[in-house]
Amino acid sequence: MNRIAGRSKIALLLAGVLLLGLVVFLGEYVVQADEWVIFSGSPHVYRGSNLNCGIVTDRNGEILLDSTGGRTYSVDPTLRQSTIHLLGDRDGYISAPALAGYSSEMVGFDLLNGIYSTSGTGGTAVLTISAEAQIAAQEALDGRKGVVAVYNYKTGEILCAVSSPNYDPDDVPDLENDDSGRYDGVYVNRFTQSTYTPGSIFKLATTAAALEEIPDIQTRTFLCEGSYWVEGDEVICTGTHGEVNLRQALMHSCNCAFAQIALTLGADTLMRYVEKFQITSPVVFDGVTTAEGNFDLTDAANVNVAWAGIGQYTDQINPCRYMTFMGQIAGGGVAAQPYLVESVSSGMLSSYSAKTTITDRVMSTAAAAALQDMMHYTVVNNYGESNFPDLYVCAKSGTAEQGGGETADATFAGFTLDEDYPLAFIAIVENGGSGTRTCTPIVSQVLSACMESMDNG
């Protein structure tokens, strides 16, 4: 009897261990099943680091990627190039983290039904981008390095996000042996992963801080004699503008005036407002976290404070974040957070649908309205309204000095004030020189394409 009793206890103990193991397994299944299905090594879900199932379309239904039987890209080679940083390449050297964030929805999985995609080949993801706008930006960049991006600051939809250099995934160049420099940085998505010296487009941030902090800033005048001396150091201007008010200083992009404004604000105040405007903070959307910018005037000499307010010194901006800042000016101090993935569906089941999220308020409506007025005045009197037919555009150009004998980067940022086309934008062309000369035609072409796409949609 004792032997039987002992064996019974052992059997009960083993049964208890088995039951405990089953409970633990079920718990892990509930919590981690979707991760098991879409783990990064799964050949059914990924090829390299990129999603390898389902179909991806643009906002109007044009197929960008069909992965139901391998990765088949668009039939248009220009569109293939322009979207490679959004869709990824076949080998995973260029990753597409926004799509990877919706792996379980694309596979079509839930706890009760398992993989429920009726086709068995994955779902359909609809991106917010416009094929027309992507092509327009790719053609306008014409092989130059940089980034062009546009988004709807009322809804958050990113209509265009082209990073260059890029390449056709159906005609991959010999990158390993290329010594031309043409493809330097090709694996980096400049829209989300890079930072740039902004140049004079940063004067918008300095202007916004001055509007909030200096009560009489709009009635003050500043003398520009071609240069401004700060404790023995010279701040050089692009011209000799004479006596200018704030509006004229922004329109002329007067370094002398903005050096004086930056010094009036002071280092601590400038840093506080840059933080308030969130200019150096990363943007998070669709599982993507953009690069952080930089604006640090700790222990900076006064001449460096002056240059920082002009958009030089150690200033660094991420294009996606600064585009969002443009949206916040256009939106009276707030804007929609940008996003790329509109919806994901598997069979008859809609697995995901994007929702508009509004940013924190970064400035008063009065300051935003004053900036809108000054930026439109700059377009009318500097860049020319004829470059933007049928749109009320507010913008600022920049020429971001690089040092070391390099040609400056061309920068351009702004927005439209239009109920039907509420668009914020940024364009940066590396070593492009003048932002006005280089970027204005790029933005003009891309905005026209965005309008056409929105009308078609």
Side-chain angles (χ1 to χ4, degrees):
M1 287 294 294
N2 290 338
R3 183 177 297 177
I4 294 174
R7 289 176 178 175
S8 298
K9 290 179 181 179
I10 292 173
L12 288 172
L13 179 61
L14 290 174
V17 170
L18 180 62
L19 180 61
L20 178 62
L22 181 60
V23 170
V24 170
F25 171 79
L26 289 174
E28 290 187 353
Y29 174 76
V30 170
V31 175
Q32 301 183 40
D34 59 339
E35 296 179 15
W36 295 345
V37 171
I38 61 169
F39 79 100
S40 58
S42 172
H44 305 291
V45 182
Y46 294 98
R47 181 165 181 171
S49 62
N50 291 322
L51 201 63
N52 196 41
C53 63
I55 294 172
V56 183
T57 77
D58 85 331
R59 61 188 294 109
N60 293 329
E62 179 161 349
I63 294 179
L64 305 175
L65 175 65
D66 185 342
S67 295
T68 57
R71 286 176 70 86
T72 303
Y73 295 87
S74 166
V75 296
D76 188 313
T78 305
L79 184 55
R80 291 198 298 265
Q81 280 190 258
S82 71
T83 54
I84 193 169
H85 288 99
L86 306 178
L87 304 175
D89 67 345
R90 288 187 174 87
D91 298 314
Y93 295 124
I94 295 178
S95 62
L99 280 176
Y102 299 95
S103 298
S104 60
E105 289 87 352
M106 282 292 281
V107 170
F109 172 82
D110 67 30
L111 293 174
L112 296 177
N113 300 301
I115 295 178
Y116 56 72
S117 172
T118 57
S119 66
T121 53
T124 298
V126 179
L127 302 188
T128 59
I129 61 167
S130 155
E132 296 97 325
Q134 291 288 120
I135 291 171
Q138 180 72 24
E139 292 178 342
L141 280 169
D142 194 25
R144 294 170 292 186
K145 296 175 183 176
V147 60
V148 180
V150 182
Y151 98 118
N152 184 322
Y153 59 81
K154 289 190 175 181
T155 65
E157 301 160 284
I158 298 172
L159 279 80
C160 177
V162 174
S163 173
S164 178
N166 49 39
Y167 58 82
D168 183 347
D170 284 351
D171 186 19
V172 181
D174 184 2
L175 299 173
E176 186 175 343
N177 295 312
D178 177 70
D179 57 4
S180 67
R182 176 183 176 185
Y183 296 103
D184 289 351
V186 70
Y187 298 128
V188 176
N189 184 339
R190 282 160 161 78
F191 177 57
T192 57
Q193 297 173 300
S194 290
T195 61
Y196 288 93
T197 301
S200 290
I201 63 173
F202 195 84
K203 289 172 180 170
L204 297 172
T206 304
T207 302
L211 287 167
E212 297 274 27
E213 192 71 17
I214 305 172
D216 63 344
I217 189 62
Q218 295 192 71
T219 58
R220 285 193 187 189
T221 58
F222 309 90
L223 181 61
C224 172
E225 298 178 317
S227 65
Y228 183 75
W229 290 88
V230 182
E231 300 170 351
D233 293 301
E234 187 179 23
V235 174
I236 300 173
C237 197
T238 56
T240 302
H241 303 117
E243 191 170 302
V244 294
N245 59 25
L246 182 62
R247 173 191 274 200
Q248 294 165 333
L250 190 67
M251 187 267 290
H252 289 299
S253 201
C254 178
N255 288 349
C256 293
F258 275 91
Q260 296 171 62
I261 294 168
L263 291 170
T264 300
L265 289 167
D268 291 342
T269 300
L270 273 171
M271 286 195 294
R272 176 162 54 85
Y273 273 95
V274 167
E275 182 177 358
K276 178 183 177 182
F277 297 152
Q278 302 174 344
I279 291 171
T280 57
S281 301
V283 182
V284 180
F285 65 94
D286 297 321
V288 176
T289 301
T290 68
E292 293 185 11
N294 181 73
F295 190 84
D296 186 3
L297 298 180
T298 305
D299 299 325
N302 282 336
V303 68
N304 292 330
V305 173
W307 278 118
I310 291 167
Q312 295 289 160
Y313 189 43
T314 60
D315 301 11
Q316 292 285 296
I317 60 164
N318 167 258
C320 181
R321 167 52 74 186
Y322 210 73
M323 177 190 72
T324 306
F325 180 53
M326 293 300 99
Q328 289 167 317
I329 299 172
V334 299
Q337 289 278 17
Y339 63 88
L340 179 66
V341 180
E342 178 66 43
S343 64
V344 183
S345 59
S346 296
M348 298 298 292
L349 299 176
S350 181
S351 305
Y352 169 81
S353 183
K355 296 180 181 178
T356 298
T357 302
I358 301 301
T359 67
D360 297 333
R361 173 166 292 280
V362 298
M363 69 183 70
S364 67
T365 54
L371 257 178
Q372 293 168 9
D373 176 69
M374 285 185 277
M375 291 172 69
H376 183 64
Y377 178 83
T378 299
V379 170
V380 172
N381 293 281
N382 196 345
Y383 314 135
E385 284 185 293
S386 61
N387 287 308
F388 309 102
D390 304 320
L391 283 175
Y392 188 97
V393 174
C394 307
K396 180 74 186 77
S397 68
T399 304
E401 301 296 337
Q402 301 303 302
E406 285 192 49
T407 303
D409 288 351
T411 62
F412 198 74
F415 49 84
T416 64
L417 292 179
D418 190 297
E419 285 298 319
D420 295 323
Y421 312 107
L423 304 171
F425 56 81
I426 188 167
I428 299 174
V429 177
E430 297 172 23
N431 307 124
S434 164
T436 303
R437 183 182 64 252
T438 302
C439 295
T440 300
I442 294 175
V443 171
S444 176
Q445 293 174 53
V446 175
L447 287 180
S448 294
C450 287
M451 292 166 63
E452 181 180 351
S453 178
M454 293 170 78
D455 289 341
N456 292 339

